[in-house]
Amino acid sequence: GAFMYDMEWIRVKFSKVEYVALEGSDHTVKIFLQRDLQWSNSTLTIGYSTSDLSAIGVDASKFDKCLRSHLSQRDGCGDYEQAAGDVTFKEGEEHTYFAVRVMDDNCIERRLEYVQLNLHQIGGSPLRGENYRAQLRIDDNDWQDGTLSRNCTGGNN
């Protein structure tokens, strides 16, 4: 038997090592990927996923339900929406992105919260190497008004 692998993914990487999101400023963070333009004469699809480091991810259903709740009722809603899928570079395109949604809560978090970002071959496990992983840091906005914020339970603090 002969096997053939498309290795174009080796020319793709995250645009940054660390992305930063501030709670409350925007619920969506764009995570940009780039590829070598010398090898951009065709379309290329690559997979991505998120996983918890110190931040807590929730599924889309819970995330949407929490977004409809008042800010004071978001204890236990997690820090971000878990995401997995694929993105496509069009022919000649150097950059593309996927989005990660961030939860705004009324909880003072005492430590930095991080999400692992991974790239995958379609249908495969995460790729290994420094170009194929990055982190999303979620900064807390609740220290600004400590009189209204609270220290929440549910593993978020």
Side-chain angles (χ1 to χ4, degrees):
F3 296 94
M4 190 163 144
Y5 291 100
D6 181 355
M7 299 292 288
E8 256 191 89
W9 56 265
I10 65 172
R11 306 206 192 306
V12 175
K13 65 180 183 177
F14 283 97
S15 302
K16 298 178 183 179
V17 174
E18 182 175 276
Y19 297 84
V20 179
L22 177 64
E23 277 186 4
S25 62
D26 191 359
H27 289 290
T28 304
V29 179
K30 291 181 179 178
I31 307 298
F32 283 91
L33 307 176
Q34 69 183 74
R35 71 171 170 172
D36 188 338
L37 275 179
Q38 291 181 329
W39 303 95
S40 66
N41 58 352
S42 64
T43 61
L44 169 65
T45 301
I46 191 161
Y48 68 87
S49 66
T50 62
S51 57
D52 295 0
L53 289 174
S54 55
I56 297 172
V58 297
D59 63 28
S61 174
K62 183 169 186 176
F63 192 92
D64 289 338
K65 179 180 176 189
C66 287
L67 274 184
R68 291 188 299 270
S69 300
H70 186 271
L71 188 64
S72 65
Q73 301 300 313
R74 293 186 183 169
D75 182 18
C77 284
D79 301 306
Y80 74 100
E81 177 188 23
Q82 298 164 335
D86 53 77
V87 293
T88 300
F89 290 90
K90 296 175 185 167
E91 185 176 327
E93 191 173 50
E94 182 179 11
H95 294 95
T96 191
Y97 70 91
F98 63 91
V100 177
R101 296 194 301 169
V102 175
M103 181 58 61
D104 186 17
D105 58 25
N106 205 29
C107 305
I108 297 174
E109 282 97 12
R110 302 199 186 289
R111 67 181 197 289
L112 295 175
E113 296 175 321
Y114 286 96
V115 178
Q116 180 73 42
L117 308 169
N118 299 298
L119 294 180
H120 307 259
Q121 280 184 299
I122 300 299
S125 61
L127 297 169
R128 307 256 186 241
E130 63 186 40
N131 288 337
Y132 314 118
R133 65 174 259 356
Q135 294 179 354
L136 168 61
R137 187 184 81 214
I138 304 172
D139 290 345
D140 188 21
N141 68 339
D142 298 305
W143 290 100
Q144 297 169 5
D145 189 358
T147 59
L148 298 175
S149 300
R150 58 196 171 96
N151 187 7
C152 300
T153 59
N156 292 9
N157 48 7

